[in-house]
Amino acid sequence: MTAEPSRSAGRMRASDADREAVVEQLREAAADGRIDLEELDERLELALTAKTHAELAPLTDDLGPVMLESGEPLTLKGGIHGVTRTGRWKVPPRIVAYGGLGGVRLDFTQAECRLREIEVVVDAQMAGVVFVVPVGWRAETDALDLGFGGLKDKTSGERLPGTPVLRISGTCGAGGVVVRYPNLLERRRQRKELSR
């Protein structure tokens, strides 16, 4: 005689990744206004100490699924003069970047992003594509064709809980693809903007 699947699944031990996923869903619910901060604190404490899936399930049952944004991808074409997306902007789930002769630079450090994953397709062409990401974001580049320009990933590769993953595919072309944290000048500029 076997146990009912639902009961045995509920008794399964929860992993750190399971707890992290619930914590992220709770934070998104609070950001959307579906639960208040007091309830968020209570649920976070229960999520972080949960030992089984049965303890985690009730914490998000009344929240419903997380709705991802849909629609057209953000398409950036470097052309002759290049294009930059920086400052405050809303990150869509899919981005397409063509380096052209001027290059493309995407700066995510002040961008609004509630996504867990961002799909990015690049064609770096002659001038390349540069990604500036906050510390804690991770880039997955296994599907990237290195071409002549190659890939320079200057990040640690470690992802902090609740931060997005950039899934970068396409080709590095002749200009290459760079993934890095903000440099000193960019950090200074951001501090000045925040102090205004």
Side-chain angles (χ1 to χ4, degrees):
M1 186 170 160
T2 58
E4 292 177 21
S6 59
R7 288 186 182 174
S8 61
R11 286 195 298 261
M12 295 262 313
R13 302 290 285 193
S15 68
D16 286 341
D18 297 327
R19 284 185 282 272
E20 182 183 315
V22 170
V23 165
E24 180 60 23
Q25 191 173 350
L26 291 171
R27 286 184 177 144
E28 287 177 5
D32 292 342
R34 289 183 280 160
I35 58 175
D36 61 32
L37 293 178
E38 184 179 333
E39 193 172 7
L40 173 65
D41 286 341
E42 291 170 8
R43 291 189 189 202
L44 284 177
E45 186 176 341
L46 292 169
L48 293 170
T49 57
K51 303 230 182 305
T52 65
H53 287 271
E55 293 174 81
L56 286 174
L59 301 176
T60 57
D61 277 349
D62 62 339
L63 300 178
V66 176
M67 300 302 289
L68 295 178
E69 296 175 37
S70 58
E72 293 296 314
L74 169 63
T75 302
L76 300 169
K77 298 180 180 180
I80 294 174
H81 303 289
V83 66
T84 299
R85 182 60 60 109
T86 188
R88 300 193 188 287
W89 58 286
K90 192 168 187 176
V91 180
R94 191 163 190 269
I95 299 170
V96 180
Y98 300 96
L101 294 173
V104 170
R105 182 160 87 58
L106 284 157
D107 186 339
F108 292 92
T109 52
Q110 293 182 328
E112 178 189 334
C113 183
R114 293 187 184 172
L115 303 167
R116 291 189 185 119
E117 293 184 4
I118 304 150
E119 180 189 349
V120 185
V121 179
V122 299
D123 184 353
Q125 299 174 339
M126 294 303 293
V129 178
V130 176
F131 298 94
V132 182
V133 298
V135 174
W137 282 36
R138 182 163 175 243
E140 290 191 1
T141 55
D142 294 340
L144 196 56
D145 176 6
L146 299 181
F148 291 114
L151 167 71
K152 291 180 185 166
D153 187 347
K154 299 179 180 180
T155 66
S156 67
E158 293 179 12
R159 180 182 176 211
L160 292 176
T163 59
V165 175
L166 288 177
R167 298 198 188 281
I168 306 173
S169 61
T171 178
C172 293
V177 170
V178 176
V179 183
R180 63 173 176 82
Y181 298 133
N183 61 31
L184 183 62
L185 183 63
E186 290 163 337
R187 289 195 305 268
R188 255 190 219 151
R189 191 177 300 132
Q190 286 172 11
R191 280 196 297 269
K192 278 185 183 178
E193 287 174 8
L194 291 172
S195 65
R196 287 181 189 169

